[in-house]
Amino acid sequence: MAISESTSMPNGIKNTSSSKGQNGVEPHVTEEHATTWSPSSWRSKPIKQDVVYQDRGAVDAALAKLARLPPLVTPTEICKLKASLRDVALGKAFLLQGGDCAELFDYCEENAIDSKIKLLLQMSLVLIWGANKPVVRIARMAGQFAKPRSSPTEVVNGKEIPSFRGDNINGFDASERTPDPSRLVSAYFHSAATLNYIRAQLSSGIADLHSPLNWNLGHVKSASIKAKYQRIVTSITESLRFMKTIGADTAGQLQTVDLYTSHEGLLLEYEQSLTRKLKHPPTYSPLPSSSPSPSEGYYNTSAHFLWIGDRTRQPTGAHVEYFRGLANPIGIKVGPSTTSSDLTALLDIVNPAHEIGKVTLITRYGETQVAEKLGAHIDAVRASGHTVIWQCDPMHGNTITVPTQTQAAGGLKTRRFSSIYAELVATLRIHHEHGSFLGGVHLELTGDPVTECMGGSENLTDEDLPLNYTTFCDPRLNEKQALELAFLIAEDLRGREGVENGV
């Protein structure tokens, strides 16, 4: 639905027309991208992070099988998410996205899936309390297998071998590092099984807020911090009890939630095989245009939401070319090396009609660079006329390696909880200073009691890392650290809302 004429938009943008883009801005497409798009047009562009297989015939057979298999998600679900993300872009909702750095096929089992669903639910409740608005939940699940790597090879036991690039490409064991095209089909079926179980659990009441939630705060060692968190828990539980008492929960809204899936769209051959030209659902909102809206669109049916990584976001590259034709909402990782001109060019390419809720900018600068980079990016996007979702990924820019001389943990990658939180706090502040707002957070986390990130109320140190360091890629927040971060974000959001309202 178009915004009415002269509607004031967030971030100081004023909409002056309802017959152009959704922001009233004339759609802009560069000559480079004015050619006809197709799911395979990316093949004419230079590509980063490509996979080279030894048996091309086996690859073609795997891709042909994928092209015959049914969609994993539907246009109706995708359009429902896009409508929710439009609310996030307009400041009416908050986005929580989280899950494993790189899923393993072994994570496709009930306990691992249940723990992440429950953790995201608890975190979302805390954020609802803090932001005083609905929370849109997107999981890095059911497809987040592939990972970009800084080098195609690594040295293991003195031998140079291909890097581990995710279960849908090769195995972690040194004997399984040759890319195997059969893993592409395995990725589809593991994604399908995970999605099936998620849907079954949601319909069976795993997210029913009438059920008691485990808010155990025994790990919090500071008495003052524990008391602060307990006040938030008490407020949430009392609110739920009040809604039940007055009968406000009878419509079923407290019995289940929407949980969408996402992954980085890295393997374009896989993504192309699951890209289908499908009819738009009845809930589809066509863009304002003088010409009739098409009845069909190209949907990536491997996930509801996909993002372009920081290593593959070149404006003239294959990944951007592929993403620009999708009807799905998409994300773009924005790091310290992103220039303002590249950022606005990317937005013009992937969203020439300025559709609100289409693009999420996932910033990942690191605590030492966020103050230098974020403000200029906010100003550039505002000047471009795009209304985006600003989402903070405070994980990737804060990865460090434990010095090799450190006993036991030497050489392990980790992240400091304090650095993660510091980037989030700085991001909130900078958005406020530039007349903008943070729309969401993007976190690598697990529902298991891993010891991969240092700090938090458990006071994990580098000596604790080997106790339960299970990631095959980047370090994740454990369930206690993730929930603690949600508490801290909620307090900041609630405090900022109080200041803005003069409370």
Side-chain angles (χ1 to χ4, degrees), residues 171-230:
F172 184 76
D173 190 271
S175 64
E176 298 179 329
R177 292 299 178 91
T178 300
D180 180 359
S182 70
R183 288 177 172 269
L184 296 170
V185 179
S186 293
Y188 171 92
F189 285 111
H190 281 87
S191 297
T194 300
L195 263 168
N196 180 65
Y197 185 71
I198 291 173
R199 288 176 171 136
Q201 285 294 79
L202 290 176
S203 66
S204 299
I206 191 174
D208 190 343
L209 297 186
H210 296 100
S211 303
L213 295 169
N214 178 18
W215 295 101
N216 181 21
L217 300 174
H219 66 284
V220 181
K221 297 179 180 180
S222 166
S224 60
I225 294 176
K226 186 174 184 178
K228 183 167 57 178
Y229 292 169
Q230 187 59 56

Side-chain angles (χ1 to χ4, degrees), residues 330-346:
I330 63 172
I332 301 173
K333 286 290 186 86
V334 180
S337 64
T338 310
T339 64
S340 294
S341 57
D342 272 359
L343 183 56
T344 56
L346 282 168

Side-chain angles (χ1 to χ4, degrees), residues 68-86:
R68 294 193 302 270
L69 291 168
L72 292 173
V73 299
T74 68
T76 298
E77 295 171 333
I78 292 169
C79 287
K80 186 177 182 181
L81 171 60
K82 189 184 284 188
S84 296
L85 291 177
R86 188 178 191 277

Side-chain angles (χ1 to χ4, degrees), residues 1-18 21-25 85-92 351 353-358 381-382 385-389 434-437:
M1 183 175 65
I3 305 263
S4 61
E5 186 172 352
S6 297
T7 300
S8 294
M9 301 293 293
N11 303 340
I13 297 171
K14 180 167 285 189
N15 191 23
T16 58
S17 173
S18 59
Q22 285 194 354
N23 275 345
V25 178
L85 291 177
R86 188 178 191 277
D87 286 342
V88 176
L90 296 175
K92 300 176 182 178
N351 190 23
H354 291 233
E355 183 181 0
I356 300 172
K358 169 72 176 181
V381 171
R382 175 187 290 109
H386 287 276
T387 299
V388 302
I389 296 168
H434 286 259
S436 178
F437 60 87

